[in-house]
Amino acid sequence: DARPNPNINGFSASLGCYPIASQLARHLDLNTLHNLSLTCRQFRANLLQFRSQLVKQTLHCANEDVQIGSRLAERLRESHQTWQTGQAGRITSGKVGHCARDMVGECRKCGKVVCRNCIMKLPPRNTFNGRLRRLCKTCTRVPLWYHTRLRDSWSGNRPATFTESAYARGPCTCVDAGVWLCNTCGQSLRADDLAYTRGWLWRTRYSNYLGGLGTGIGEGNEGVECGLGEQCFAVRDVVQEIECDADELAALECEAKQAGLEGREWRGASYLFQEIEGIGGAVKKKVKKRVRLGAVVKEYEDEREHSDHLRRERDGSARCWCCWCARVLPGRKD
């Protein structure tokens, strides 16, 4: 009793108030709440009196309220659709058990709250370099804090509110803290990384076949796009021809039926819709769309000679973008 207690302060007193402790527990999982109680004896004494209530109110997974039967039916429908269409997707039943409460957190990319049973499987260490994306010249020169803010809060000047840091997206920590992504965000990671790597290789060979006359990676409209994509600071509008999917074909058929009901007639192609005969006589329907693409990234001379792409991004000398968690990786100048 004679020794003073340095842990009696405003925060320890707030932990002894049930409404404040209850609201705090809704944002913590069981492990974090346990670590908070182990901070000191005063914190443990204040939280121990509400233990039974706080344990039930901790952060829970977004899939916890979904019934196991409906979850299993959804996984089976996904596997059946994959076998019928032949497209790349889930062919197994997936996770259909109960969710955990000890390790729960937000998805690093979309912000969905998932537990350790609902996150994607940890990829091998040798695939971590495939997540890096090169930024264009404009995105590498803007201040770093622009890349750590949500796109909806961007403005001409830096916001001066005291709550700004609460909505900041920190740099990528996939290597240090681990990959914490939901299954939805982690389904096509390997396919996207492979397509991006093949894009670099294709552009290198394409420039060599044509003699290197204005066909480098950093030249023309066919260059490698900035890693930010549509959110690039030097974004541009480009008209592209893509094959019609099922939704677009249904919309065109609905438009043709509507034209017939109104006494109009629509046949053949148009400026935005064309029919092209492919290999083997197959007729493909293509539609023109105006899309937003990022600026073309820079290609260095040593990369063109040795085909060692993204070396500056791997060693940390240049600023780059992580496509797994949609966060920036600072460079040495940052």
Side-chain angles (χ1 to χ4, degrees):
D1 296 336
R3 188 179 63 179
N5 188 355
N7 298 319
I8 298 180
N9 48 38
F11 184 71
S12 62
S14 63
L15 293 181
C17 181
Y18 177 73
I20 298 179
S22 175
Q23 293 296 326
L24 180 62
R26 296 178 187 272
H27 301 277
L28 305 177
D29 58 356
L30 288 178
N31 287 345
T32 309
L33 184 63
H34 177 66
N35 294 335
L36 179 61
S37 65
L38 295 180
T39 304
C40 62
R41 296 179 182 270
Q42 187 63 44
F43 286 9
R44 179 176 176 82
N46 293 346
L47 292 175
L48 191 60
Q49 56 182 339
F50 311 126
R51 181 183 181 280
S52 58
Q53 293 88 353
L54 297 181
V55 167
K56 299 177 182 179
Q57 298 176 6
T58 53
L59 192 65
H60 63 278
C61 180
N63 301 325
E64 185 176 354
D65 299 334
V66 182
Q67 298 294 332
I68 298 180
S70 61
R71 193 183 305 169
L72 177 60
E74 182 180 357
R75 297 295 181 268
L76 293 177
R77 283 194 297 267
E78 291 178 359
S79 60
H80 178 72
Q81 184 179 3
T82 302
W83 283 108
Q84 292 292 331
T85 59
Q87 299 177 356
R90 180 185 288 122
I91 59 176
T92 58
S93 60
K95 184 261 177 186
V96 294
H98 294 283
C99 294
R101 299 291 295 272
D102 54 345
M103 295 181 62
V104 184
E106 294 183 353
C107 175
R108 294 281 294 175
K109 187 173 185 179
C110 65
K112 181 181 178 181
V113 181
V114 290
C115 65
R116 56 179 171 84
N117 294 332
C118 296
I119 62 173
M120 63 166 289
K121 184 180 179 181
L122 184 64
R125 299 289 297 184
N126 56 358
T127 61
F128 275 59
N129 291 332
R131 79 189 196 280
L132 304 179
R133 300 290 185 268
R134 175 165 292 179
L135 298 177
C136 65
K137 189 179 298 183
T138 305
C139 295
T140 54
R141 292 179 178 177
V142 299
L144 183 63
W145 66 268
Y146 268 103
H147 295 289
T148 60
R149 299 297 182 268
L150 297 178
R151 297 300 189 266
D152 298 337
S153 62
W154 279 1
S155 59
N157 299 323
R158 182 173 182 178
T161 58
F162 70 95
T163 58
E164 177 191 3
S165 60
Y167 300 97
R169 293 175 62 89
C172 172
T173 57
C174 293
V175 178
D176 301 330
V179 182
W180 193 273
L181 300 174
C182 61
N183 288 324
T184 304
C185 296
Q187 282 181 355
S188 60
L189 294 184
R190 298 293 297 274
D192 296 342
D193 296 345
L194 182 60
Y196 186 77
T197 305
R198 289 178 176 177
W200 281 95
L201 298 177
W202 181 84
R203 287 302 304 170
T204 304
R205 297 175 182 177
Y206 181 67
S207 107
N208 294 332
Y209 291 158
L210 297 183
L213 299 177
T215 57
I217 294 179
E219 302 169 355
N221 292 330
E222 298 296 332
V224 179
E225 184 184 356
C226 177
L228 290 178
E230 298 180 359
Q231 300 175 350
C232 175
F233 289 91
V235 67
R236 65 189 191 279
D237 295 336
V238 179
V239 178
Q240 287 185 346
E241 289 186 359
I242 58 176
E243 294 187 12
C244 297
D245 53 7
D247 297 336
E248 294 174 348
L249 291 176
L252 292 174
E253 293 178 358
C254 181
E255 183 180 355
K257 291 180 181 180
Q258 185 68 22
L261 295 176
E262 296 177 357
R264 297 182 289 108
E265 187 176 0
W266 182 73
R267 292 182 179 179
S270 64
Y271 176 75
L272 299 178
F273 175 75
Q274 296 178 357
E275 292 183 354
I276 301 176
E277 183 176 356
I279 301 176
V283 179
K284 299 181 179 180
K285 297 181 174 61
K286 290 191 175 183
V287 62
K288 289 185 178 181
K289 283 188 174 182
R290 184 179 297 273
V291 296
R292 298 174 63 86
L293 298 179
V296 178
V297 299
K298 182 181 179 180
E299 179 192 16
Y300 298 93
E301 293 296 334
D302 56 346
E303 295 178 344
R304 183 178 298 185
E305 296 176 358
H306 305 286
S307 298
D308 186 14
H309 305 106
L310 303 177
R311 178 177 57 84
R312 293 168 175 81
E313 284 75 12
R314 290 194 299 268
D315 58 16
S317 59
R319 183 193 300 178
C320 61
W321 188 258
C322 175
C323 69
W324 288 6
C325 60
R327 297 169 186 264
V328 67
L329 279 85
R332 293 179 181 175
K333 294 183 180 180
D334 299 326

